[in-house]
Amino acid sequence: MKFRFKQSDQIRGFIDKGTNMTGELESTGTLRIDGNFQGSISTVQNLIVGKQAVVHADIKVDEIEIHGQCFGNIEAKNRVEIFPSGRVRGDIHTPVLCVNAGAMLDGGIRMADERPDDPAASTDPVVEQPNTRLGRQ
C-alpha cells in the first residue's frame, strides 16, 4: 500500500543537525528543525522539532510536534504534542495539548480562547449536580 503526502504534509523547510541559525524564520509550509535555532518562528502550517534540535524561540504555528528541546513561548492554532524525548520550557497557548509519558513541560498552559464574544470560552463556574444515579442526593 502506498501513502501519499498531502501538499500540507510535505516539509518545505529543513534545518539539519549540526546547523546553527539565528533570526526570524517565517514560512507558509511545514518546517522541520533538527539543528539549533534562536530567534522567532512563524508558519501557517506545522513545525516538527526533531530529537537533536535545541530551539530558543517564540513560536507561532498551526500544529507542532516536539521531540527535542524548546525554550520559549508556543502559540499553536490547533495542536501541540510533546513526545517522550521532548522538553519544553515556556508558556503554551493551544486548544489541544498532548504530553506523552516521559516528556517534560515547565511553563504555563492556556487552552481556552479568551475572547468575550465566544460562547465556548464561558467562564461560568462549574456547579456540582446531585448524584441521582442510585437515588442518593
Side-chain angles (χ1 to χ4, degrees), residues 75-125:
E75 185 177 329
K77 286 183 183 177
N78 290 321
R79 185 170 196 257
V80 172
E81 184 165 3
I82 308 171
F83 286 81
S85 59
R87 305 287 178 258
V88 175
R89 183 159 287 151
D91 295 341
I92 295 176
H93 182 204
T94 184
V96 177
L97 174 63
C98 298
V99 180
N100 289 276
M104 196 234 19
L105 171 59
D106 181 12
I109 301 166
R110 186 173 58 179
M111 295 180 74
D113 191 356
E114 295 180 2
R115 290 177 289 164
D117 59 340
D118 185 0
S122 174
T123 57
D124 294 336

Side-chain angles (χ1 to χ4, degrees), residues 7-23:
Q7 186 72 11
S8 63
D9 289 339
Q10 295 178 358
I11 295 175
R12 300 265 175 108
F14 186 78
I15 299 174
D16 202 358
K17 61 184 173 182
T19 303
N20 297 309
M21 288 188 69
T22 301

Side-chain angles (χ1 to χ4, degrees), residues 4-51:
R4 276 192 178 183
F5 283 112
K6 295 183 294 187
Q7 186 72 11
S8 63
D9 289 339
Q10 295 178 358
I11 295 175
R12 300 265 175 108
F14 186 78
I15 299 174
D16 202 358
K17 61 184 173 182
T19 303
N20 297 309
M21 288 188 69
T22 301
E24 294 179 15
L25 184 56
E26 294 182 15
S27 175
T28 58
T30 298
L31 299 172
R32 180 176 178 101
I33 299 176
D34 284 320
N36 299 323
F37 183 84
Q38 187 167 348
S40 65
I41 300 171
S42 177
T43 180
V44 294
Q45 289 189 1
N46 305 330
L47 176 63
I48 301 165
V49 177
K51 279 187 179 184

